Amino acid sequence: MSVLQEMSPNVKQMRQLEYAVLARQAIRIREELKQGVRKPYKEVIDVCWGDPHRAGIKPLSFVRQVLAACLYPQLVNSDKLPVDVRQRAQRLLQECCGGSVGAYTNTRGIPKIVHRVSEFITRRDGGAPSPPENIYISPGSQWALTNMLKILVNSKASTRTGVLTPVPCHSTTTLSLEGLGAVIVPYYLSERQGWELQVEELQRALESAKGVCNPVALYVINPGNPSGHVQSRKSMQEVIRLVSEKRLFLLADEVYQECVYGENSEFVSYKRVLAEMGPPLSDTVELASFHSASKGYMGECGLRGGYVELVNLDPAVMKYIYTIFSMDTCAPVLGQMALDLMMNPPQPGDPSYPLYDVEKQHIRTALVHNVKTARAVLNSLPGFCCQPVEAGIFVFPRLHIPPKAIQKAKEVGMKPDTFYCSRLLEEAGVLVSPGCEYGQKEGTFHIRFCIMTPQDIMEELLKRLTSFHTQFMEDFS
Amino acid sequence: MSSLQQVNPRVRGMRTSPHAALQSLAARITQEITQEITQEITQEITQGAQRSFKEVIDLTSGDPQRAGMKSISFVRQVLAACLCPHLLKDTSLPLDVRLRAQSLLDSCDGGSVGAYTPSAGLARVRQSIAEFLTRRDAGAPSYSRDVYISAGSQVALMLLVKLLASGEGETPTGVLTPVPSPHTLPGLLDEEGVTLVPYRLTEERGWALELSELHRALKASRGHCNPRAIYVSNPGIPTGHVQDRKSIEEVIRFAAAERLVLLVDEVYQDSVFGSEFVSYKRVLFQMDKVYSESVELVSFHSLSSGRMGEGGLRAGFMEAVNMDPEVTRYVHVMLCFDISAPVTGQLALDLMVDPPKPGDASYDTYTQEILSARATLSHNAQRAWQILNGLPGMSCQPAMGGVYLYPSVRLPAGILEQAEMLGVEPDVLYCQRFLQEEGVLVGAGLHHGGDTHHLRLCVLVPPDSLEEALTRLSSFHLRLVDRFSQCNGVKDKDEHGRSVRLVETTFEGSTVSAQGHNRNE
């Protein structure tokens, strides 16, 4: 009695991540290392996820102290913790149902926290109001995005729903779309221009969708993942005009907004740009923007806290959004609190501020240093070309793979860039992910790795990569 | 998507439970009370408050900690130490707490609860769960590869339903579902475009599951859907019925014969009074090979219910037995795009399945806390059952497990009429009135058709809250029955002995809109 034959076709078409192959390999290698098998390296450097803690970054003390006190309130009274930590924990606990992080909360999130998210957004966007009833806290931004897609993707229509999606794009979004039976309409970011989004390309993509599907939404990631590009105001205005003209719903994934370090780059939110464009656009363009506690200096991916803010949605539609979100009780309470702490960190004068500031600066300095070093090293290696990285926590260099290697990859049944990553893992103990996971122009190859790591780990990584790459190019020349 | 027409029709068709509207009302009342109290203090209003209650008692959420029950110390201490590892050096924390926290952190990537985990959950926790299941089922083996961690049992259930749901244009998938069932279940099935095939539980037999009814339901479904699975909750939600071995075997044989996947919600397995809980897996493995090696069974458990009560930490798991490895592959893929079980929740699962043992420093406290909560639940269930059965028109089956009581209520004709006029379900109206007049929130039962209505009460609350709530319920219910049996001088039978329609002539303001139970806000 196998279910397979009868499994949902939408699910069947979801492709398996390339990562799965590499993950299995990594497990085997780690096992072998544990058993003392000799290798040219002592441990695997895992930088394939956007996961700073996995890569060795330490959590921020303030955040962890407050959360620990919320979990185990006896700590609130102990003098082991700084006064502001205890006060913050006390206030957060009072705001929870039953004074406990173990109780469910309202669907949208703990009301006072939702309020403070709203205040954060207003501050960030130079005063543009952000009504709390338009905000939903969710277990990570992807969850909220999937919920929005469930509303947008019409699974019963004879013409399938299309969503414009960037190439490259991180895989969780594309997987969600596949699982919902939507058609992915790719628009190619322009690598030579630092992965810029060009509105002509959006037009072309829309043209290509004619007769194939009904495009209802445009998904944008700014700052880009994996591209690291920060959109200019002008570009964002063009996008807004386009979605207005074509009546597309704008999904703006802005989870990397905290991590901007490019010299001439500044993050400005889609909501702000939209507000500044004034009516009629500011009153009509439908926008959902996403943020998260997983990225940025906090890097608390495991706690699962994110939110979506909805702008200009029909109240009747908002009703259904509530329905969808209420199917899952609520975001984990600790995740909600982590979000709150991210938006309301210690201020100068608070007892925790000095340590908080030091830790944050340390991470930021490492990040900026790593970006510089990684780019320099990559660009010095023959066959690699890395665009400037203005934001985010990844580099996504282009890689030229020699024809002999492409052939060998075919023989072992792997995509060429996956093959490169597999060899890199095996021979140098470095786990990165292949560009095919994110989409790339036909015939081009890339790798992606996380650069939010301690400096010494990045240096070790680059050393291993350099020696591996040189050997690889020799072997397959 | 400015037009309603463009919202995914499947979402538009989702059934919502009336619970959300009732909860909103409760929240509003609580807010009003807070304002009133503030006003009283600042303006020194000495006249009595217009309300007879000072705070709302919530008996619906099945969320013990929201209701005021305490968490388990061992769990909170370990998790705090995992979040804040420098606490590992704090000797005021028991040794076993610190050792466990260290061990758990070692299994996290980067030694941090802030790192992502594999999509099916931390390997170490999956292993702990497998070992727990094997112990629980007297040696019937469970394997970590069959265990999947998710952000709560509902999420795992949604994944399975999604897997089973057929594509467009084909006959929709059907899932046999009990009536009554958890109130979120219909909406969940609607979301995936799956047809709910109801099978009625037998109230007079303590909400037992009848094989003949399963057959009837299946037969009735043929032609308009393709039934692929049967959902069972054991202990029953909200009925509290605990299936015996014989009943479980019957269901398993039925599922085998009809080629249905068994989806068994066992989240209240820790809260069984009197009789013994035996899992579907255990029964399955004791049956003949023709069943034990072929019946596809997925069972669900969670942090949210029973012993742990840690809903806010969001974690649960499912065990999939006899699942085709190809299907397993897809489960993993689907878990990939929903990376949502928080690490702290996963670690709490480890603590749930592998608690302190005799000899451990925390053992005594842990045991005391567990026994105390269990005693409270048992006492509350008994007490509530007594009171409810004593009220006119109310009848309650004894709860054998779980945290709910589900009494039937024969509502006076006047309420039925009022409900019809307002466009709401009568039991929802009852709950609204109860909430407004006495400040107690109980849940409305799912409508079964005809004259039967039910209420749903969660009894895992501090005993004095329950006592207070039951007092208010008695008072409200008696008043209501009384009010409707004398209508300002109009007798209920006229001089010829014919029954006269009973109508309540005093209206109380109701804040329910005409859309009643479809309203979400």
Side-chain angles (χ1 to χ4, degrees):
Chain A
M1 185 176 61
S2 164
V3 167
L4 186 65
Q5 272 68 48
E6 303 162 357
M7 198 180 349
S8 161
N10 283 350
V11 175
K12 274 199 207 168
Q13 80 179 2
M14 286 170 76
R15 74 208 140 83
Q16 189 156 67
L17 296 176
E18 296 296 300
Y19 170 69
V21 164
L22 296 167
R24 279 194 290 272
Q25 190 184 347
I27 290 173
R28 178 189 37 87
I29 291 174
R30 282 195 180 108
E31 238 343 277
E32 289 171 2
L33 283 169
K34 231 185 359 194
Q35 289 167 8
V37 173
R38 281 279 211 102
K39 289 189 193 293
Y41 47 87
K42 290 242 164 48
E43 76 293 310
V44 171
I45 298 179
D46 184 346
V47 279
C48 71
W49 287 102
D51 186 346
H53 294 188
R54 175 187 286 229
I57 296 282
K58 295 277 156 272
L60 297 174
S61 302
F62 176 74
V63 173
R64 291 307 185 82
Q65 286 170 342
V66 173
L67 293 178
C70 288
L71 263 168
Y72 188 54
Q74 274 84 323
L75 288 171
V76 175
N77 300 321
S78 94
D79 51 12
K80 296 185 173 88
L81 295 176
V83 157
D84 55 345
V85 166
R86 284 182 273 145
Q87 281 169 343
R88 190 76 79 97
Q90 201 146 36
R91 185 179 73 177
L92 284 169
L93 282 174
Q94 274 163 2
E95 294 168 351
C96 291
C97 294
S100 164
V101 303
Y104 288 127
T105 74
N106 295 358
T107 296
R108 273 210 214 90
I110 295 170
K112 290 263 163 71
I113 294 187
V114 175
H115 245 95
R116 289 196 290 270
V117 170
S118 148
E119 286 165 9
F120 162 82
I121 296 173
T122 304
R123 270 195 319 267
R124 179 197 69 185
D125 293 340
S130 169
E133 51 275 14
N134 291 345
I135 296 169
Y136 284 82
I137 300 181
S138 60
S141 58
Q142 283 296 307
W143 181 282
L145 175 62
T146 303
N147 276 352
M148 291 309 299
L149 292 174
K150 283 182 185 170
I151 299 265
L152 289 165
V153 176
N154 186 338
S155 25
K156 284 194 176 149
S158 47
T159 318
R160 287 169 68 195
T161 305
V163 176
L164 278 89
T165 318
V167 176
C169 175
H170 66 111
S171 37
T172 26
T173 301
T174 40
L175 263 181
S176 284
L177 287 167
E178 282 172 4
L180 289 168
V183 175
I184 295 171
V185 181
Y187 62 90
Y188 290 83
L189 301 176
S190 180
E191 180 160 16
R192 289 229 175 76
Q193 277 74 44
W195 297 109
E196 204 179 67
L197 191 163
Q198 291 175 336
V199 82
E200 302 77 36
E201 171 57 16
L202 290 178
Q203 306 269 19
R204 182 214 58 78
L206 277 170
E207 269 304 305
S208 77
K210 287 209 170 106
V212 175
C213 67
N214 174 27
V216 304
L218 167 65
Y219 174 75
V220 172
I221 316 171
N222 183 44
N225 171 8
S227 70
H229 174 78
V230 177
Q231 262 190 297
S232 67
R233 231 191 191 91
K234 176 162 167 292
S235 174
M236 294 168 77
Q237 287 166 349
E238 287 174 347
V239 168
I240 289 172
R241 273 188 222 106
L242 180 77
V243 301
S244 175
E245 186 199 333
K246 305 287 180 185
R247 296 167 58 78
L248 297 171
F249 193 100
L250 184 54
L251 300 161
D253 192 334
E254 299 177 321
V255 300
Y256 289 103
Q257 56 186 274
E258 307 279 314
C259 277
V260 178
Y261 38 77
E263 268 161 29
N264 299 316
S265 323
E266 188 208 344
F267 169 78
V268 66
S269 72
Y270 261 95
K271 171 144 168 280
R272 184 166 184 174
V273 174
L274 178 62
E276 287 168 357
M277 287 170 89
L281 289 167
S282 58
D283 292 335
T284 55
V285 169
E286 287 168 310
L287 165 68
S289 42
F290 304 89
H291 195 12
S292 158
S294 306
K295 315 297 171 187
Y297 305 109
M298 248 176 59
E300 295 282 5
C301 312
L303 291 183
R304 318 305 313 130
Y307 75 78
V308 59
E309 184 196 12
L310 301 164
V311 179
N312 289 333
L313 266 71
D314 190 325
V317 174
M318 288 295 274
K319 195 176 78 138
Y320 291 109
I321 291 180
Y322 185 89
T323 301
I324 282 273
F325 273 87
S326 63
M327 290 316 296
D328 175 45
T329 26
C330 65
V333 181
L334 290 173
Q336 297 191 36
M337 291 177 168
L339 199 63
D340 189 41
L341 297 172
M342 177 178 82
M343 303 188 163
N344 294 289
Q347 296 300 310
D350 293 346
S352 297
Y353 181 76
L355 179 60
Y356 172 84
D357 192 51
V358 160
E359 288 174 341
K360 191 169 156 183
Q361 289 309 326
H362 180 72
I363 298 172
R364 193 192 152 87
T365 308
L367 182 61
V368 172
H369 171 89
N370 288 350
V371 168
K372 277 211 182 73
T373 323
R375 266 201 83 214
V377 168
L378 290 165
N379 279 326
S380 75
L381 292 172
F384 263 119
C385 172
C386 188
Q387 293 297 317
V389 180
E390 304 170 296
I393 60 175
F394 299 106
V395 289
F396 192 65
R398 181 159 165 189
L399 166 65
H400 167 76
I401 299 187
K404 279 210 184 119
I406 297 181
Q407 182 56 36
K408 183 69 195 245
K410 206 165 166 186
E411 284 166 28
V412 302
M414 278 190 189
K415 302 218 173 75
D417 38 7
T418 309
F419 175 67
Y420 182 94
C421 294
S422 174
R423 293 286 291 252
L424 175 62
L425 175 58
E426 196 69 49
E427 293 170 26
V430 174
L431 179 54
V432 304
S433 43
C436 54
E437 195 84 281
Y438 310 98
Q440 53 202 348
K441 270 214 165 83
E442 188 70 40
T444 65
F445 305 107
H446 299 77
I447 59 170
R448 184 193 86 162
F449 58 91
C450 174
I451 34 140
M452 195 185 232
T453 72
Q455 285 188 30
D456 52 343
I457 296 202
M458 182 55 51
E459 276 166 24
E460 173 65 20
L461 185 162
L462 292 170
K463 201 167 87 180
R464 294 190 200 179
L465 176 63
T466 301
S467 90
F468 164 81
H469 185 78
T470 316
Q471 187 62 53
F472 183 90
M473 290 313 222
E474 235 181 72
D475 290 347
F476 289 100
S477 62
Chain B
M1 196 181 53
S2 45
S3 151
L4 200 54
Q5 259 46 58
Q6 287 166 287
V7 169
N8 184 356
R10 210 180 262 172
V11 175
R12 271 188 286 155
M14 279 170 69
R15 272 166 290 190
T16 54
S17 87
H19 186 54
L22 286 169
Q23 268 209 316
S24 286
L25 183 56
R28 228 185 337 255
I29 292 175
T30 304
Q31 216 175 15
E32 285 168 13
I33 291 175
T34 315
Q35 284 168 0
E36 281 163 20
I37 291 175
T38 315
Q39 278 175 350
E40 277 183 31
I41 293 169
T42 56
Q43 295 173 26
E44 292 176 27
I45 296 169
T46 47
Q47 68 212 53
Q50 290 182 337
R51 261 182 252 277
S52 62
F53 55 91
K54 283 266 172 327
E55 85 287 311
V56 171
I57 301 178
D58 184 347
L59 292 187
T60 61
S61 65
D63 183 353
Q65 293 190 25
R66 174 187 278 235
M69 299 290 287
K70 298 275 155 271
S71 56
I72 294 175
S73 307
F74 177 72
V75 173
R76 294 306 189 83
Q77 287 168 337
V78 172
L79 292 179
C82 288
L83 267 169
C84 217
H86 84 253
L87 286 172
L88 292 172
K89 304 192 197 85
D90 182 348
T91 48
S92 68
L93 287 177
L95 180 62
D96 58 343
V97 166
R98 286 179 278 140
L99 289 172
R100 181 75 75 101
Q102 183 66 64
S103 161
L104 288 173
L105 279 176
D106 289 342
S107 62
C108 294
D109 266 303
S112 164
V113 302
Y116 286 124
T117 72
S119 47
L122 286 165
R124 176 250 168 75
V125 180
R126 291 170 75 191
Q127 182 58 32
S128 293
I129 293 173
E131 287 167 12
F132 157 76
L133 292 169
T134 305
R135 278 193 313 269
R136 178 196 69 180
D137 296 337
S142 289
Y143 305 97
S144 64
R145 62 172 185 260
D146 296 332
V147 173
Y148 304 86
I149 298 177
S150 62
S153 57
Q154 288 284 98
V155 175
L157 179 62
M158 272 169 78
L159 193 153
L160 254 308
V161 169
K162 197 183 169 70
L163 210 61
L164 291 165
S166 61
E168 296 320 315
E170 304 164 29
T171 326
T173 298
V175 175
L176 273 77
T177 312
V179 176
S181 77
H183 61 106
T184 46
L185 196 52
L188 194 154
L189 296 175
D190 287 342
E191 195 185 325
E192 295 302 332
V194 164
T195 304
L196 191 156
V197 179
Y199 63 88
R200 290 174 135 61
L201 301 173
T202 307
E203 182 161 13
E204 311 82 70
R205 284 187 50 218
W207 298 108
L209 213 151
E210 308 262 16
L211 193 57
S212 54
E213 172 58 14
L214 291 181
H215 280 292
R216 181 213 59 78
L218 194 64
K219 194 152 163 230
S221 75
R222 299 242 187 258
H224 62 266
C225 73
N226 186 1
R228 289 190 185 146
I230 169 168
Y231 170 91
V232 177
S233 65
N234 182 45
I237 309 165
T239 62
H241 176 77
V242 176
Q243 278 183 282
D244 60 18
R245 208 174 264 275
K246 176 163 168 292
S247 173
I248 296 177
E249 281 177 6
E250 277 181 352
V251 175
I252 290 175
R253 274 188 226 109
F254 172 77
E258 305 295 343
R259 296 162 54 80
L260 299 170
V261 174
L262 265 166
L263 304 170
V264 186
D265 197 334
E266 296 175 324
V267 297
Y268 285 110
Q269 55 187 272
D270 296 326
S271 308
V272 173
F273 343 111
S275 49
E276 187 208 344
F277 169 80
V278 70
S279 72
Y280 263 73
K281 181 187 139 241
R282 181 168 176 181
V283 175
L284 178 63
F285 278 31
Q286 287 169 333
M287 289 169 78
D288 191 271
K289 255 203 312 198
V290 74
Y291 298 108
S292 63
E293 287 178 6
S294 69
V295 171
E296 286 170 299
L297 164 67
V298 185
S299 37
F300 304 90
H301 196 11
S302 150
L303 279 182
S304 312
S305 15
R307 195 196 317 159
M308 296 278 284
E310 296 279 12
L313 292 184
R314 305 312 319 278
F317 66 82
M318 61 179 174
E319 182 191 16
V321 171
N322 292 329
M323 190 180 265
D324 190 320
E326 274 301 300
V327 177
T328 304
R329 199 165 71 83
Y330 283 106
V331 173
H332 279 285
V333 171
M334 287 174 76
L335 284 169
C336 272
F337 80 86
D338 238 350
I339 317 165
S340 57
V343 181
T344 37
Q346 296 191 36
L347 300 181
L349 282 175
D350 190 88
L351 302 174
M352 177 173 88
V353 301
D354 187 13
K357 299 181 191 42
D360 291 348
S362 303
Y363 180 71
D364 286 339
T365 309
Y366 172 82
T367 310
Q368 208 173 21
E369 289 170 344
I370 295 282
L371 289 176
S372 161
R374 197 171 282 173
T376 299
L377 177 59
S378 177
H379 164 268
N380 286 359
Q382 181 68 17
R383 180 87 183 120
W385 179 76
Q386 258 174 344
I387 303 279
L388 292 168
N389 272 315
L391 294 173
M394 259 205 218
S395 160
C396 189
Q397 296 296 317
M400 301 159 72
V403 304
Y404 293 103
L405 286 184
Y406 195 69
S408 72
V409 185
R410 205 176 55 243
L411 294 172
I415 281 268
L416 299 177
E417 279 160 15
Q418 210 174 74
E420 197 174 334
M421 273 193 295
L422 291 166
V424 309
E425 294 295 324
D427 44 6
V428 175
L429 182 58
Y430 182 99
C431 294
Q432 264 159 16
R433 295 278 295 263
F434 185 30
L435 176 60
Q436 284 166 313
E437 291 178 30
E438 296 285 349
V440 178
L441 179 59
V442 298
L446 287 175
H447 189 56
H448 296 201
D451 297 323
T452 41
H453 297 97
H454 293 78
L455 300 174
R456 191 185 79 240
L457 287 82
C458 172
V459 296
L460 188 55
V461 299
D464 39 355
S465 296
L466 184 72
E467 204 53 46
E468 177 62 25
L470 290 171
T471 306
R472 295 188 199 177
L473 176 61
S474 301
S475 151
F476 168 77
H477 187 81
L478 291 168
R479 246 193 353 260
L480 194 82
V481 166
D482 196 49
R483 193 184 291 145
F484 279 96
S485 63
Q486 19 158 332
C487 294
N488 295 2
V490 177
K491 296 202 179 62
D492 60 345
K493 279 190 162 58
D494 67 14
E495 55 274 26
H496 300 290
R498 286 177 298 211
S499 286
V500 168
R501 208 178 62 150
L502 300 172
V503 174
E504 189 203 32
T505 55
T506 43
F507 250 86
E508 283 187 8
S510 169
T511 56
V512 174
S513 78
Q515 270 76 51
H517 88 212
N518 284 325
R519 197 182 68 158
N520 293 311
E521 277 294 325

